[in-house]
Every structure is written in C-alpha cells, then in structure tokens.
Amino acid sequence: MKITTGDTMHVYGAIGAGVDYAVRFKVRLKDKIDPDALKSSVASASLRFPYFMGRLVSTVESFEYADNDLPIVVINSDVRVILNSAMTNYHVWAVSFLDDCIYLDFFHGITDGTGMYRVLATILYHYCKNVYGIDAIPELEASDIEAEMADPQDTIEEVPAPEASYTPAFTLETDGGLTKSSPVIWDVKIPEDAFIKFVRENDSTPGTMVELLMGKAIDSLYPDRSKPIISSYVINARPMVGAEATNHNCLGMSIFDYSPIVSSMPLSTQGTVYRGKTFVQSREEQVAAGLAVNASTVKGIMNSNPSLKARKDIFTAMFNGGEGFISYLVSYPGKWKYPTIGQYMKEFWTHPPCTFSLMVILGAAGGNISLSIQQRFTGSSVVDAFLSLLEENGIAYEVISSGASDVAGFEAP
C-alpha cells in the first residue's frame, strides 16, 4: 500500500531522524483485564480497520506498507514494545495489558491522534460489550472504509509555498541551560470538575489553559531571557478540509507567543487572548491553506527526488524543523466521547513520541483531566513551576507516576 501525501513526511522524517515515533495509550479500567475478552476485542478492531494491517517495508526508491495477515499481538505485560518487528508480528500497532490496564501502542506515521483514538475506542467498545454487556454504539460499529482511507492532501489543490520566516524561540535545552537527557514523563491527575470550573472562570479551554500555564511557568523561571517563549497547539484539521472520516495524518498548528504584554495581563485576560489566537488560527481558510502548502511541498520533494536516501534526508530536515523555534507543544484531542465506555475507565494517559523539548498531552475520562508532561532534559524545575501554578489557583493534583518514556520503539525496514 502506497504511503499517502499526509503521511509521507511523518514516515520518511521519523525514520530518517531515528525517532521512536509512536504513541502509547494507557487505560486503567475498574476491574482486572479479562485476557480472552481483550483478544477477541482486538481481533474485532483488526477487522474494522483493515488498512492498518500492514508492515512497513522499503524499496530502492520508497517506503510502503506490505500486506500483513498475521494477527495483532496482545501481550500480557507493560514492557516497552518494538513495532514493525517480530515482537509485534511486524505490525505498526500492538496491544498489551497488565492487571487492570490496557495499553495501545501506535506508529504515528500511519495515522494521527484522531485515528488512534478511533482504534482505541473500538477496542474498548468491544471489550466493554463482551465483559460488561454495554449497549451497541452504532458509530463504533459502522465504517466507511473508502472515506477513511482517502487522504485529503492527495487531491488538495497545490499552491506555491510562501517564503518561510520563523522567530527563534527560547528553548530549555539550550537557552535554559538544562542538560539534555532521554525523555522522561510525568503523569498528573486533576479532578475534571474543578479544572473545568477554573478554565471557564478564566475564559479559556482545557488545552489553551495548559498552554498558558506552561508559558507562565517558564516565564517565572527565566524572566530575563532574550528570546520569546513560543509554543504550538495541535489542531485537528479534518473539519476545515471536509474530511472528517479520514484516518491519515491531518493536522494543523496554532502558534502562541507568551510575550511581556500577555504576561502583564490578569489571568482571565490572558485566557481570552489565547482563546482568540486559537479561533483566528483555526479558521477554515487558514488551516486549509496550510495543508495545501504542505501537500505541494511533499509532492514536489517526492517528484524531484527519486531515491530513498534523498527523500529521507530532505524529510528528516522537515521533521526536525521545529528545533529552535518551538519552546513546547500542547495537544488535547478533547473529552472522551463515549460515556457508556467511560464509566469503566479510571485513568486515561497518552504518552507522546519525543519530537519536542517539552510536550503536554491532555486526556479527559473517568472524571479526571490527565496530563502527561514529557521532557527531554534533566531535573524537575519546569514541572514543579507548572504544578505550583495549579496550587496557586486552588487546583488539586496528584502525580501518579514519573519515569523514562515507555513509548514503543520502531524497527525501520
């Protein structure tokens, strides 16, 4: 299966950069996992998403997905897995379980968070139907394979790329003087009701409030910096290009500058400013234009560089393009949308690939907001400053765990 336009940079760039470009979801349920019910549920999900049943291989010119009829593995352990390897039957996703937790590891090159959530929801739906007898959820039973496999960037009208201009950002590994390390993740749980009340009082949203508080935390640690704190917020671009069903990478970005003007404002005004920036940068025409530029660039590279090595080299530079221009990234796919499944979920964590110096991924399920804060430098000064801001604003929190990243490795072809 050919790699589509929207996925191309993710595959070539991640492999060229040597990044473990995978996401690990961890769901803690109310009861110990039933292995047979989970295996049956994973088998059902495999049938529901046939286009995710492939092994990444390489030719002289390109990467592509070869058909893979082996079953998706279900591992009784929380061990870090290696995707596209014998350990996972050469699939680019895998499922594990231990005690009351289910883990889903997924290669980001084949889909984004929205696509991964759909697979996770399908697995949990079949599991809860098997174990708890929940009612049918038609949305998770139905499928439109053709629409899901269609990549809007394959057919989007190509446009000339404008001259890129970026402002160097304050980064914690360089300007902040923090020592680089392998990625470390803190999982922090916050009561959803209290946090949402706080967010609404300050004219914000959960994702933009975390974006704002992290900027405020870094500002408190480095008030005399010479570079601006610039962050990005992930946007699901599907609605803007009329491709709600697609399960390919379909993302945009909002960019925020935690400037001295913003920092001098009351928190509620800062919330308004960040919400406004999100609205402006999420406009249909702006997001669609960004995807058109990306599609045109990708197609141009593929057409003018026929060798695998040349393509890897160029897309690796694109993949690493945020280095030095982004202080941190925040992503929030939204509250868990299936309450009949959510009633059995106690915790829901999303561990991201290590593609930025600092990242915060939000989840919302089981009455809690879950924050997974990942950094690739030593020490806890940034996390401590962020948590102190929660305390100052009367938001209770609990650090559930901290330690080395457990996202899957990936065996490149």
Side-chain angles (χ1 to χ4, degrees):
M1 183 172 66
K2 182 182 177 182
I3 294 172
T4 65
T5 304
D7 293 341
T8 295
M9 187 278 293
H10 295 269
V11 174
Y12 287 81
I15 292 175
V19 171
D20 293 325
Y21 198 47
V23 176
R24 165 163 274 202
F25 298 100
K26 175 183 177 181
V27 180
R28 185 180 299 279
L29 298 182
K30 291 188 174 182
D31 300 297
K32 190 173 182 178
I33 304 304
D34 180 327
D36 292 335
L38 180 59
K39 290 174 184 177
S40 174
S41 303
V42 171
S44 296
S46 302
L47 295 174
R48 167 64 182 80
F49 299 98
Y51 45 84
F52 287 148
M53 300 294 289
R55 176 184 183 180
L56 189 70
V57 298
S58 63
T59 68
V60 174
E61 297 180 347
S62 62
F63 291 115
E64 59 187 41
Y65 291 104
D67 291 340
N68 187 347
D69 295 329
L70 295 172
I72 297 294
V73 299
V74 179
I75 303 169
N76 185 7
S77 171
D78 62 354
V79 68
R80 179 174 181 261
V81 305
I82 308 298
L83 300 174
N84 213 51
S85 76
M87 181 183 187
T88 59
N89 275 347
Y90 300 101
H91 282 290
V92 296
W93 62 285
V95 176
S96 305
F97 70 97
L98 186 67
D99 298 328
D100 56 354
C101 293
I102 294 174
Y103 303 84
L104 173 63
D105 292 285
F106 227 103
F107 177 46
H108 202 333
I110 200 168
T111 189
D112 57 18
T114 297
M116 297 176 201
Y117 269 68
R118 289 170 176 169
V119 176
L120 177 64
T122 301
I123 293 171
L124 292 177
Y125 163 59
H126 286 287
Y127 181 82
C128 290
K129 188 168 64 171
N130 291 337
V131 174
Y132 300 112
I134 66 170
D135 293 335
I137 302 177
E139 180 182 344
L140 296 178
E141 294 275 10
S143 64
D144 185 344
I145 301 299
E146 186 175 340
E148 292 167 10
M149 291 182 67
D151 183 344
Q153 294 190 59
D154 281 344
T155 56
I156 199 167
E157 183 177 351
E158 296 183 40
V159 297
E163 188 70 29
S165 178
Y166 302 104
T167 301
F170 178 86
T171 60
L172 292 152
E173 297 165 303
T174 53
D175 308 298
L178 299 180
T179 304
K180 289 186 178 181
S181 72
S182 54
V184 177
I185 299 178
W186 280 264
D187 284 335
V188 181
K189 185 164 67 174
I190 301 172
E192 184 179 11
D193 289 347
F195 189 66
I196 295 301
K197 181 175 181 292
F198 167 67
V199 164
R200 288 173 177 167
E201 288 172 347
N202 289 283
D203 194 26
S204 191
T205 65
T208 52
M209 177 53 74
V210 170
E211 189 96 36
L212 177 57
L213 291 179
M214 187 57 77
K216 193 175 181 68
I218 296 172
D219 181 53
S220 71
L221 293 172
Y222 301 96
D224 299 323
R225 65 188 180 278
S226 59
K227 295 179 182 177
I229 298 170
I230 300 175
S231 62
S232 63
Y233 187 67
V234 178
I235 296 172
N236 173 18
R238 288 166 175 79
M240 296 79 169
V241 292
E244 288 279 13
T246 185
N247 271 337
H248 292 285
N249 282 281
C250 192
L251 301 169
M253 292 281 182
S254 290
I255 303 298
F256 300 88
D257 175 4
Y258 193 74
S259 66
I261 294 175
V262 173
S263 66
S264 66
M265 298 173 175
L267 185 61
S268 60
T269 308
Q270 293 183 34
T272 302
V273 169
Y274 268 50
R275 269 190 43 156
K277 288 184 177 184
T278 303
F279 289 141
V280 168
Q281 295 179 77
S282 298
R283 290 178 300 123
E284 179 178 317
E285 57 269 33
Q286 181 166 333
V287 174
L291 286 189
V293 169
N294 181 74
S296 302
T297 302
V298 168
K299 291 174 184 176
I301 293 170
M302 293 296 286
N303 291 334
S304 58
N305 295 275
S307 78
L308 178 61
K309 182 182 184 306
R311 290 170 172 178
K312 279 171 57 179
D313 289 345
I314 295 170
F315 284 118
T316 297
M318 286 180 63
F319 187 85
N320 292 327
E323 293 289 342
F325 300 101
I326 297 293
S327 306
Y328 61 94
L329 175 143
V330 174
S331 178
Y332 177 48
K335 183 175 179 177
W336 183 260
K337 62 186 293 188
Y338 304 106
T340 54
I341 299 171
Q343 64 182 313
Y344 300 104
M345 298 168 65
K346 293 176 65 177
E347 295 177 8
F348 177 36
W349 306 100
T350 305
H351 291 177
C354 185
T355 50
F356 287 89
S357 172
L358 178 65
M359 303 173 71
V360 188
I361 312 298
L362 287 78
N368 296 298
I369 298 288
S370 56
L371 305 178
S372 291
I373 306 171
Q374 178 176 271
Q375 65 180 48
R376 60 184 189 198
F377 46 81
T378 59
S380 62
S381 59
V382 176
V383 172
D384 290 342
F386 177 83
L387 296 178
S388 292
L389 288 173
L390 293 181
E391 289 181 11
E392 288 177 18
N393 289 282
I395 304 299
Y397 66 85
E398 180 183 1
V399 177
I400 300 299
S401 64
S402 64
S405 172
D406 58 354
V407 301
F410 193 88
E411 188 172 286

